[in-house]
Amino acid sequence: MPDSVDLQPDVEDVLQEEAPDTTTVPVCVVESKSPLRVQQLPRKGGATFTRTLTETPTRLLTADHRRASAKLRALGLDAPVAYSFNRASAQDLSTMSELPGLETETVTATVELWARAVTGTTRVSVTAETWAEGE
């Protein structure tokens, strides 16, 4: 009886696997004796908006590790800001940081941002920039 022919292709051929690259060596740089070039990632996106706030804390920004910075500007009266909504931050006016009216504050933390009006209403303008994610 003649040898049977295997009509099933090899799995490696179907998956188009490449041969393992054995020329790389893992390296861990502990100390550098030459100059290193470091550059900041470009900013490729962002958002702009203006909110009218009351005395109830309002979340302006969610936590986002891709956010490079956010610029805040109170367009009227002072606007207190906080990084989280809990008893130690946005729920108590005395624990919030004051954003003076018509001044710009740059926030580089990637945490939530809450704000409210001290009395009545106030408007807050936000300009946020995000890092590039690679292409």
Side-chain angles (χ1 to χ4, degrees), residues 55-116:
E55 295 177 31
T56 303
T58 303
R59 184 174 62 191
L60 296 176
L61 296 171
T62 58
D64 186 357
H65 66 277
R66 295 170 293 144
R67 186 172 60 236
S69 67
K71 291 185 182 180
L72 310 172
R73 175 176 242 178
L75 301 175
L77 302 172
D78 297 347
V81 295
Y83 289 142
S84 65
F85 186 73
N86 59 31
R87 290 188 191 278
S89 288
Q91 291 184 357
D92 186 3
L93 185 60
S94 67
T95 60
M96 297 179 80
S97 176
E98 290 232 9
L99 177 62
L102 301 178
E103 290 190 21
T104 302
E105 177 75 21
T106 301
V107 178
T108 56
T110 60
V111 297
E112 288 185 338
L113 185 68
W114 292 75
R116 61 171 278 184

